Amino acid sequence: MKNFLIAFVVFLVWSFFGLWLYSWLQPVDNSSRVQDTIATIENSELPLNLDDPLKIDDTLQLSVNSSDTTNLTENEDDPPVLAVPSTGLKASALDGDLIFAYEEGIKIWKNTNQLEYATELTEFKNKLGTYLQEHPEEELHIASLYSATENIGSPNFGYQRGEKMKRILTTAGLDSKRIIVKSVIREIDFDENGLFQNGISFSFHP
C-alpha cells in the first residue's frame, strides 16, 4: 500500500509538471489581443471599414495618384509617352522630373495643324536643345494630341501637329534624328472657336 501511495504521488507531480510544460509550449493565442485592438479602434474617432474592422478608410484619398500627367502609348510596343498635362507646357526627363513647366501651353485648333504659342514660351526650344546636348543617349518625344471628333486625315492631325513642332525645333538647331513624334488620341474640349490651350508636351527617352 505504501508503494502505491508513493507511486501515485510521483504520478501527480509528473502530471502537474507535464501540464505546466505543455502550456508553455503551446502557441500564443492572439485572439484576445485582436479583440483588444478592435475595441481600442472602436472607441477612437477613426473611420472604419465595415468589411475589415482593422482597416482604416482612406478618407483623404492619399492612395490616389494626384499627378496631372499620364503615361500613354499609341501601340503596346511603343515606349511610354507623356500625355499633355491639363494646363501648361511641360517637359519631363527620363526619371519623371520636370525639365520645365510653363503656365501657358501650345495652342491647337480643331481640324487644322495650326500651332501657336506666346513669345514668353520661345525659351523652351533652347531648353530642349540644351538637354539633348547634355544627354546624348536620349531622344526627344513630342506628344501631340488629336481628338476622335476631328475630321479624319492621313496622317491624323495629331501627327501633323507633331511634325510641325518637329520642324520648328529642327529650325532652332535640334537634331531631327533625335526627335520622335507621337500622336496621342484623347477627348479634347475645344472652345467655341475650335481652340484648345494645350496640345503639345515633351518627354525624353533612351
Side-chain angles (χ1 to χ4, degrees):
M1 184 68 179
K2 181 179 179 180
N3 292 336
F4 173 77
L5 291 177
I6 293 174
F8 184 72
V9 171
V10 171
F11 171 77
L12 291 177
V13 171
W14 277 105
S15 298
F16 174 79
F17 178 76
L19 292 174
W20 174 79
L21 183 63
Y22 176 79
S23 65
W24 273 95
L25 295 178
Q26 284 297 307
V28 179
D29 185 5
N30 292 324
S31 60
S32 59
R33 297 182 182 179
V34 173
Q35 294 298 327
D36 293 341
T37 303
I38 295 175
T40 301
I41 295 177
E42 288 176 347
N43 292 330
S44 67
E45 296 181 356
L46 296 175
L48 296 179
N49 187 312
L50 296 179
D51 296 330
D52 186 354
L54 296 181
K55 180 179 178 182
I56 300 175
D57 286 340
D58 186 10
T59 55
L60 296 180
Q61 297 182 347
L62 298 178
S63 60
V64 179
N65 185 2
S66 59
S67 173
D68 62 348
T69 60
T70 307
N71 285 332
L72 300 177
T73 54
E74 189 73 0
N75 299 306
E76 291 183 357
D77 296 333
D78 289 340
V81 178
L82 181 68
V84 179
S86 57
T87 57
L89 177 64
K90 297 183 181 182
S92 67
L94 183 61
D95 56 5
D97 291 338
L98 288 178
I99 299 171
F100 60 75
Y102 295 93
E103 292 183 1
E104 293 190 45
I106 297 178
K107 301 178 179 64
I108 61 175
W109 274 263
K110 188 174 184 178
N111 297 322
T112 74
N113 64 356
Q114 182 178 352
L115 301 175
E116 180 181 318
Y117 52 89
T119 305
E120 293 78 8
L121 294 184
T122 55
E123 186 183 1
F124 79 87
K125 294 179 285 186
N126 295 330
K127 291 184 177 181
L128 293 175
T130 300
Y131 189 90
L132 274 181
Q133 291 179 353
E134 295 175 351
H135 300 80
E137 73 285 356
E138 296 182 24
E139 62 187 14
L140 172 63
H141 286 199
I142 301 174
S144 178
L145 288 186
Y146 73 103
S147 172
T149 62
E150 295 185 86
N151 295 338
I152 298 176
S154 182
N156 59 62
F157 284 109
Y159 189 81
Q160 292 182 38
R161 294 165 184 144
E163 280 294 319
K164 190 169 186 178
M165 176 53 62
K166 180 177 179 178
R167 290 193 296 270
I168 293 173
L169 296 177
T170 302
T171 303
L174 278 71
D175 185 0
S176 63
K177 296 180 180 179
R178 298 177 63 193
I179 302 176
I180 306 299
V181 175
K182 294 290 183 179
S183 60
V184 180
I185 186 169
R186 201 190 82 180
E187 183 178 351
I188 301 176
D189 295 327
F190 292 102
D191 63 17
E192 62 276 7
N193 298 318
L195 175 65
F196 183 67
Q197 297 290 336
N198 197 31
I200 299 288
S201 69
F202 304 100
S203 59
F204 288 90
H205 300 270

